[in-house]
Amino acid sequence: MSSTAQVIPFQFEAREVRTLLIGDQPWFCAADVCAVLGYANSRKAVVDNCREAGVTTSDIRSGGQKRRVTFISEGNLYRLIIKSRKDEALRFESWVCDEVLPTIRKHGRYEDTSGKMDTLLGQTIGTDGFHMLGAIIKGKVVSLPQAVQRRATAKIWSQTHAAFGVRSAADIPADQLDAARNFIAAYALEGEWLRKKPEPKTEPRLDIHFPVDYLSGRRPGTQYHRNEHTDFLEVFPLDLVDPAESPCELILTRLTKAGYNVAAAWWEVRTYRNKLAQMHRAIESLKRNFESPQQYVIAKPDLI
């Protein structure tokens, strides 16, 4: 089959894809499409994947010469896209479906009236990026009541489109994908969709710092020089008996006032303190007994 229809050329990622209008329907140069989609042998790709009814040939002028070129229908174009393994396939499909085909059908030719060629030539985040941003938005709104999730989702998409100057998130330039992700992640739901969370109460910090200086300060002279790297420290067991001064008792007292349940620690410390007090009293009693004289009643010498 031959056709005198005018060739409509356009570029996809620096590759020319020639198009014809046959019976008001767009047909695509098979060789050009296969080059974009990564098919090494365009003839084999057409035979293996395309329906014969959607394949035709047409004489066109290329490089000043008349050549016979194979064209495929829109349906066969999709068949080649679906079976392509190249990453460009999804971007190519999105561009053709969303931009090229509607314009061809409306004007009978492709017009880049919006000046978006640079953005559309494989340099956008495309469908994959769109789904990635959609997943982030879904994760943000999942905590909202079911009734407002759809409205919140639409609002975030609208704000994203406005922020990046696009009609569809798929048209966001690829080098701005991270910026778009950060924009959505930082979008605040509080206030508009959620009540702001109350500020957490800050509890006063417990003063339970008792460095070694506390012991040496309580008994001056108990910490003294040993060598260049260390000191001697003398610790007196009886200091535990004084609840007003013992750092163990002071720590437990402050923890209790702060609301901590430290009853087990209290009973252990009290046991140590009471046992030490009992031992001290016993030792003091023995000491007094050893230091006091033993008194006897004896006869006077002149009576012996």
Side-chain angles (χ1 to χ4, degrees):
M1 172 182 178
S2 63
S3 174
T4 58
Q6 183 182 2
V7 173
I8 308 170
F10 60 92
Q11 297 289 118
F12 179 80
E13 298 186 354
R15 293 182 181 273
E16 184 179 52
V17 179
R18 292 163 291 184
T19 308
L20 284 179
L21 281 178
I22 301 177
D24 294 327
Q25 294 299 317
W27 290 63
F28 302 86
C29 175
D32 297 346
V33 171
C34 288
V36 170
L37 298 177
Y39 293 100
N41 188 325
S42 61
R43 291 185 180 181
K44 186 176 186 303
V46 170
V47 171
D48 292 346
N49 301 291
C50 297
R51 293 183 180 177
E52 186 176 355
V55 180
T56 188
T57 58
S58 179
D59 293 329
I60 65 172
R61 288 198 170 272
S62 178
Q65 297 181 359
K66 187 176 181 180
R67 297 182 180 180
R68 177 151 294 217
V69 178
T70 300
F71 284 82
I72 58 175
S73 65
E74 185 178 344
N76 280 336
L77 171 72
Y78 296 140
R79 292 184 182 94
L80 290 179
I81 290 174
I82 291 171
K83 296 183 180 181
S84 172
R85 296 182 178 180
K86 290 200 72 175
D87 294 338
E88 289 86 344
L90 288 176
R91 299 200 301 271
F92 181 65
E93 178 189 24
S94 176
W95 189 62
V96 170
C97 293
D98 297 340
E99 297 289 334
V100 177
L101 291 179
T103 307
I104 289 176
R105 291 187 174 121
K106 182 176 180 180
H107 302 290
R109 63 189 183 279
Y110 177 76
E111 293 181 341
D112 183 29
T113 55
S114 62
K116 289 190 174 183
M117 282 294 292
D118 289 339
T119 302
L120 294 170
L121 294 181
Q123 297 177 17
T124 66
I125 66 173
T127 306
D128 290 344
F130 173 81
H131 289 310
M132 180 188 299
L133 298 181
I136 298 174
I137 293 176
K138 185 176 181 180
K140 285 190 70 71
V141 304
V142 70
S143 61
L144 296 175
Q146 192 70 31
V148 300
Q149 284 188 16
R150 180 175 297 180
R151 285 187 289 130
T153 298
K155 181 65 176 292
I156 296 174
W157 276 127
S158 175
Q159 294 292 327
T160 303
H161 296 161
F164 291 90
V166 295
R167 289 182 298 173
S168 168
D171 296 334
I172 294 174
D175 60 0
Q176 295 187 39
L177 176 58
D178 286 342
R181 289 164 55 186
N182 293 335
F183 177 84
I184 294 173
Y187 188 89
L189 296 176
E190 290 80 5
E192 185 174 5
W193 307 104
L194 286 176
R195 292 183 179 179
K196 289 188 176 181
K197 296 179 181 179
E199 294 292 331
K201 294 182 179 179
T202 55
E203 299 292 338
R205 188 175 181 180
L206 286 174
D207 181 15
I208 52 175
H209 296 282
F210 290 92
V212 172
D213 293 348
Y214 179 84
L215 294 177
S216 58
R218 185 168 55 169
R219 282 181 176 268
T222 55
Q223 181 177 351
Y224 48 91
H225 177 76
R226 178 175 179 268
N227 58 38
E228 183 181 356
H229 303 289
T230 59
D231 281 349
F232 285 111
L233 176 66
E234 296 178 350
V235 181
F236 292 81
L238 287 180
D239 288 342
L240 185 61
V241 177
D242 185 356
E245 296 290 339
S246 168
C248 296
E249 293 257 3
L250 293 174
I251 289 173
L252 292 177
T253 298
R254 293 174 189 179
L255 287 173
T256 301
K257 289 181 178 180
Y260 292 91
N261 187 345
V262 290
W266 265 121
W267 288 118
E268 279 198 342
V269 170
R270 284 169 178 163
T271 298
Y272 299 146
R273 185 186 66 199
N274 292 336
K275 291 297 182 181
L276 280 172
Q278 292 172 11
M279 291 174 62
H280 182 247
R281 288 193 295 270
I283 291 171
E284 286 295 313
S285 177
L286 287 173
K287 181 180 178 182
R288 285 194 299 271
N289 285 334
F290 275 107
E291 291 178 348
S292 62
Q294 179 66 44
Q295 188 179 55
Y296 298 96
V297 177
I298 59 174
K300 293 181 178 182
D302 57 348
L303 297 177
I304 296 177

